[in-house]
Amino acid sequence: MSRVMDEMGIESDIPLYAYKPLNFRQLQLETTRLLDKMIHSFKQRTDRLEADAIHQLKQYILTHSQEDISLESLARKVGLSPIYISKIFKEKQGINYIDFLTECRIEKAKELIRDTDKSIKEITFEVGYHDPNYFSKVFKKLCNMSPKEYRKLLLVNKSL
């Protein structure tokens, strides 16, 4: 087990017994102690890898939110399975990846709406949506107002 963990890049002590077990019970206790130590090292390593993978995924989504991002393409970026990514993203972030992507797109849209030279339709495509009606529906669901209403609110607040 120690050799396999070393090949995976997980540091563990060489499993040398601190003393010579005199009976089966002592051998069993010492072996259990060593295995528990290896399991702990493995879990620590796995947790660090998951945290790194989540960070990489979030950064990728933030910088590429305007693109069509599938779970499969995300999986290829970090070298994990799509199902596993979906599971750890939900566990660690409390939100699934598609909802995170949607939030990123809407936040970007809010920034772009401030620019009154751009139409809502242009912003729709710029943030990664293909249908302005669907974009408006999603925006309204998350912001409790349509993109046009949001722009009007910004303009009123700006003039005050």
Side-chain angles (χ1 to χ4, degrees):
M1 239 175 107
S2 177
R3 183 175 46 88
V4 170
M5 288 177 62
D6 283 341
E7 289 172 2
M8 292 173 63
I10 302 169
E11 294 179 25
S12 66
D13 294 334
I14 297 173
L16 297 176
Y17 293 99
Y19 60 92
K20 184 177 181 178
L22 300 175
N23 58 42
F24 177 76
R25 180 75 179 137
Q26 287 178 343
L27 177 65
Q28 184 181 28
L29 288 172
E30 185 65 8
T31 301
T32 300
R33 184 189 68 78
L34 289 170
L35 289 173
D36 287 344
K37 200 171 177 181
M38 286 181 193
I39 289 168
H40 179 71
S41 294
F42 179 78
K43 284 183 181 178
Q44 283 182 321
R45 169 77 173 180
T46 303
D47 289 345
R48 278 195 309 273
L49 289 175
E50 284 180 357
D52 288 345
I54 291 294
H55 179 73
Q56 284 179 334
L57 291 169
K58 284 175 63 177
Q59 286 305 116
Y60 184 81
I61 291 169
L62 286 168
T63 57
H64 296 88
S65 62
Q66 73 282 1
E67 300 170 13
D68 289 331
I69 302 175
S70 68
L71 198 51
E72 288 73 21
S73 66
L74 288 174
R76 284 191 298 274
K77 290 287 177 199
V78 293
L80 298 171
S81 80
I83 294 169
Y84 184 68
I85 286 176
S86 181
K87 178 182 176 270
I88 65 168
F89 203 90
K90 179 72 174 175
E91 283 177 5
K92 304 294 182 188
Q93 295 302 122
I95 185 173
N96 64 38
Y97 95 95
I98 199 70
D99 290 339
F100 182 76
L101 173 61
T102 301
E103 286 179 9
C104 291
R105 287 177 171 173
I106 297 303
E107 287 304 313
K108 195 171 198 173
K110 285 179 176 180
E111 292 173 24
L112 294 171
I113 287 172
R114 295 179 198 284
D115 180 1
T116 54
D117 293 338
K118 292 186 179 185
S119 71
I120 300 299
K121 188 174 184 177
E122 288 173 312
I123 293 169
T124 296
F125 297 116
E126 200 168 325
V127 297
Y129 287 96
H130 303 291
D131 178 4
N133 292 327
Y134 180 70
F135 166 72
S136 291
K137 183 179 174 182
V138 171
F139 192 97
K140 188 168 187 166
K141 182 178 178 187
L142 290 179
C143 301
N144 296 319
M145 63 180 76
S146 72
K148 287 180 183 178
E149 292 169 335
Y150 184 78
R151 179 173 270 169
K152 283 179 189 175
L153 181 66
L154 289 176
L155 292 173
V156 167
N157 288 340
K158 193 176 186 180
S159 66
L160 294 178

